Amino acid sequence: MGFADLSIAEIAADYNTSVAEVLQLCDRLGINYKNPQTRLALEDVKAIISEIMAKRNCSGSDRQEDSSL
């Protein structure tokens, strides 16, 4: 398993979300960590980013549907 050399805190900053939200995603996805500076495996980073983007896409489509009413 390779490492992406990204910490939880860096992912939160890069994707303009809270550290708490990324930690919740780690818990939900079963990703082990010690603190927000924990460096994550590449597969784990991909899973977290995928969840963040899916949530944003879902929120964006909700807004588009509301504005068309």
Side-chain angles (χ1 to χ4, degrees), residues 16-35:
N16 198 27
T17 191
S18 69
V19 170
E21 183 178 345
V22 178
L23 292 174
Q24 288 174 348
L25 286 172
C26 288
D27 292 339
R28 189 163 56 92
L29 296 169
I31 297 169
N32 294 321
Y33 62 91
K34 291 184 180 182
N35 57 51

Side-chain angles (χ1 to χ4, degrees), residues 3-64:
F3 278 82
D5 200 30
L6 285 173
S7 70
I8 292 167
E10 289 170 327
I11 294 168
D14 289 348
Y15 287 88
N16 198 27
T17 191
S18 69
V19 170
E21 183 178 345
V22 178
L23 292 174
Q24 288 174 348
L25 286 172
C26 288
D27 292 339
R28 189 163 56 92
L29 296 169
I31 297 169
N32 294 321
Y33 62 91
K34 291 184 180 182
N35 57 51
Q37 286 70 43
T38 300
R39 300 275 178 198
L40 300 175
L42 180 61
E43 292 81 7
D44 294 340
V45 171
K46 286 180 184 178
I48 292 167
I49 292 170
S50 178
E51 289 291 319
I52 291 170
M53 298 307 291
K55 184 176 179 182
R56 287 187 181 166
N57 288 339
C58 188
S59 295
S61 65
D62 289 345
R63 276 188 237 130
Q64 288 174 350

